Structure formats: C-alpha cells, structure tokens
Amino acid sequence: MENKKILIISAAFYPENSPRSFRTTELAKELALKGNNITVISCLEDFDYTDFLEKYPIRLVSMGKVSSTFGNNKKSKITSILYRIVNRLLYQLLDYPDISLYYKIKKVLKKENKFDAIISVAAPHVIHWGVSNAIKKNPKLSKIWIADCGDPYMGSTLQNFSRPFYFMFFEKAFCNRCNYITVPIKEAKAAYYKEFHYKIKEIPQGFSFKEIENSIKRRHDTVSNFAYAGGLALKGVRSPFALLEMLTNINEPFVFTIYSNNIQIIPQTIINNLGSKLILVEGISRDKLLVELSTYHFLINFDNGTAVQAPSKLIDYTLSGRPILNIEPNFPKSEVIVSFIKGNYDGQYVLSDIEKYNIENVANNFLKLVNANK
C-alpha cells in the first residue's frame, strides 16, 4: 500500500488527558509508524515533544489555544453569578469559546496544501466547520476529507439544552463537503441527517494493545476495591451523587476510588460520611490510569441512557481485564452493587469484539477510506 501524506487536525493532542486527545494521538502514532507522512495541527500544550518525536516521525503544528471564557477577579458573589450566566449564554448561542477555533483553522490552513487526506477530529465540531471552510476556499487542500465524530452535534441526546437551529447549517455544510463521516459505533448513525447516511462509516476508538498488555498488573486485597474513572457532573448521566448516597448505607467493607479532573464537585458531607471507604484522585495520565484500573476487583460505568453515544472508557475498562458494573447513575440498584462487592460478577457488562479497537486495525480502516478514493 502506497504511503500517504495525511493531515490530522484536532483540538486535542498528547499529553492532554481526554478521549479526543487519545483518538488523535493514537491514530497519528500508528499512521506514522506505518510509514505515512503525518502532519498534526492542534492546540498544542507548552510541552517538550523531543522524546515523542524521536519515536514517532510526526510534523506538529500549533494553531494556538482556545479562547478563554469570560471571568473576573472580584470576589462578589453576584458578579460571579452574572459571569456564569454570560458564559452559559455565549456557549449555547455561539458555541463560545470553541467557535474561536474556526478562525484559527482558517488561518493555519492557508499555509498547507496538497494532502492525500485530511482527518478532522471532533469534538468540538467547529473543527469540521473550519476545515469545511478551508476546503471551500482551496479545493486542492486535500484529495479526500474524513470527518471523524466522537459524538454527534445537533443529534446529541446528552445536552441539557437543544442547540439553536442555525447550527444546522454548519453541520449540513461539513457533511455535504466531506467524503466520509466516521463514528465510533454504528448506532450513532441515527444522530445524523439522513441525506448523509451513505457517507457514514463505523471506526471505533483505537488503542495500542501492545503498550497496555505490557503494563497490566494485579493485586490481591481481601477488601473489595472498585473504581470509576472519568468526568463528573452535578446532574445528568455523569452525576455520582445517587451512587455515593447509596454507598453510605452499605455496611459491607469496600473502598471506592474515583479518578476525575473535577472531583471538587463532591460535597464534603459525602466525603465525611464515607470516610476511608472513599478515595478521590485528581487526573492522572491515561497510561498510568490503565495500570491502576487493572488492579481493582471491578469498575463502575455510568450508563449514557442512549444508543447513539457510548463512553470510550468502556474500551479502557475492558482492556484492563476487570469486570465492569454498568449502572444507571440516577437509579443505581443497591442489591447489584452489594453482589459485586461480595465478588459475584454475574451481569457484568461485556464489550464484544475487542480486537476491532486495536489501533493497528483502526488505522488500517482509515487507510482503506483514504485509498478508496484514488
């Protein structure tokens, strides 16, 4: 197979700790190792990439940071509330601050040209909008364009609000202009406009199995240790409060560890009530997290409650080799949790066909799309 000149453009890249960063980084690494000429344009962090680039021959281009939300240095409670309201309205009405990427992409792509393929990675979906505008202005920018969508935009069912109708025009514009739309699960197809369904291909999140297999370890505690890793929210499908309240009433010995970048939302009263039964760990790198997850008796996943979006953490959980307890966050069943704490893992969640998440297969699936448009 002929090596290709490929541009990957994403808002997140290594060492950022997020699903979109993992998607972009793992794909770029594997495509480069396969001998392709890879350029990554991203909001790069202030980080020394010397060792990374010695291992992976990738050309990195920074498009700058996402604009910050409006804030204030005053301690007035009323002022703080007003700023939060303004930021919320800007996000809902203008997709701010992500919308700033539209102009950054426009600027940075003026200096690029003649790729065999562009792979744009969302979220945020404004990445696709920016690429769409660039290709409209310069059709020779790339032979084909693959718009990779981790989650749907207008068709998302996890938002607390409906997106304004006018964003539909941005979504339809990029869907019309790209050659392919890739989604992580086939069920996600239903969240996109029907006239573009023929462009949609399923390519799941990819992970380096070799790196993971070399890091897995086990421990043998007598007390049940289980964990959750991922985002937390005050309400909705990422809210941990119903589970934590339930755990305060379970008398079985256990230790529950939460790995998250926003553990500060958990009230001190809950922390005090659970005492040594609750451990909170603020964000660690994914490679270290996978090692940690492999040591627990079982892992907790909060079910999305929707067929069109699935958390990528289920792949990490599966690769860790530990049983997965999938719970409805607002209505967890105490009898099931107690059963898992006692070591009965009947009813555990099983992710089928794990080999399709191997980054080698994922990269090959992208290359098939690249080569299908010769």
Side-chain angles (χ1 to χ4, degrees), residues 55-152:
K55 188 173 182 180
Y56 306 104
I58 297 171
R59 173 179 168 245
L60 294 180
V61 179
S62 178
M63 60 178 166
K65 301 288 185 181
V66 176
S67 299
S68 300
T69 56
F70 287 103
N72 72 95
N73 297 319
K74 300 178 181 179
K75 296 182 179 180
S76 168
K77 185 175 181 180
I78 294 177
T79 305
S80 296
I81 292 173
L82 288 174
Y83 270 104
R84 285 201 296 272
I85 292 173
V86 169
N87 280 311
R88 183 67 176 179
L89 288 173
L90 287 172
Y91 174 64
Q92 290 185 210
L93 298 177
L94 300 175
D95 209 359
Y96 182 88
D98 289 338
I99 194 65
S100 65
L101 289 170
Y102 183 87
Y103 304 99
K104 294 181 184 298
I105 291 170
K106 178 180 179 181
K107 181 179 179 180
V108 75
L109 288 184
K110 284 183 178 180
K111 303 176 183 178
E112 305 293 337
N113 208 11
K114 295 185 178 179
F115 290 94
D116 292 304
I118 290 178
I119 302 173
S120 56
V121 181
H125 276 248
V126 70
I127 294 289
H128 299 327
W129 307 348
V131 173
S132 178
N133 177 68
I135 291 178
K136 179 181 179 181
K137 298 289 181 61
N138 179 15
K140 294 182 179 180
L141 183 60
S142 181
K143 294 178 182 177
I144 75 158
W145 170 27
I146 303 169
D148 183 63
C149 303
D151 291 319

Side-chain angles (χ1 to χ4, degrees), residues 42 45 73 80 110 130-131 139 141 145 179 191 198 203 206-207 210-212 255 267 276-277 279 359 371:
S42 186
E45 297 186 12
N73 297 319
S80 296
K110 284 183 178 180
V131 173
L141 183 60
W145 170 27
N179 299 89
Y198 74 98
I203 301 183
F207 298 88
K210 293 178 181 178
E211 293 179 5
I212 294 169
V255 177
S276 60
K277 287 186 170 183
I279 297 175
I359 190 58
N371 285 285

Side-chain angles (χ1 to χ4, degrees), residues 241-252 254 270 273-274 277 334 337-338 341:
F241 301 121
L243 173 62
L244 292 172
E245 290 288 353
M246 175 180 290
L247 291 176
T248 62
N249 297 313
I250 292 178
N251 294 321
E252 299 292 332
F254 67 83
I270 292 179
N273 288 339
L274 283 168
K277 287 186 170 183
S334 61
I337 294 172
V338 170
I341 289 174

Side-chain angles (χ1 to χ4, degrees), residues 217-225 294-297 322 345:
K217 64 181 180 180
R218 297 282 182 261
R219 68 185 183 192
H220 304 283
D221 302 274
T222 55
V223 174
S224 181
N225 279 267
S294 71
T295 69
Y296 288 92
H297 289 96
R322 309 319 298 141
Y345 305 131

Side-chain angles (χ1 to χ4, degrees), residues 50 54 80 119 129 137 214 256 264:
T50 303
E54 284 182 0
S80 296
I119 302 173
W129 307 348
K137 298 289 181 61
N214 293 334
F256 178 38
Q264 68 276 3

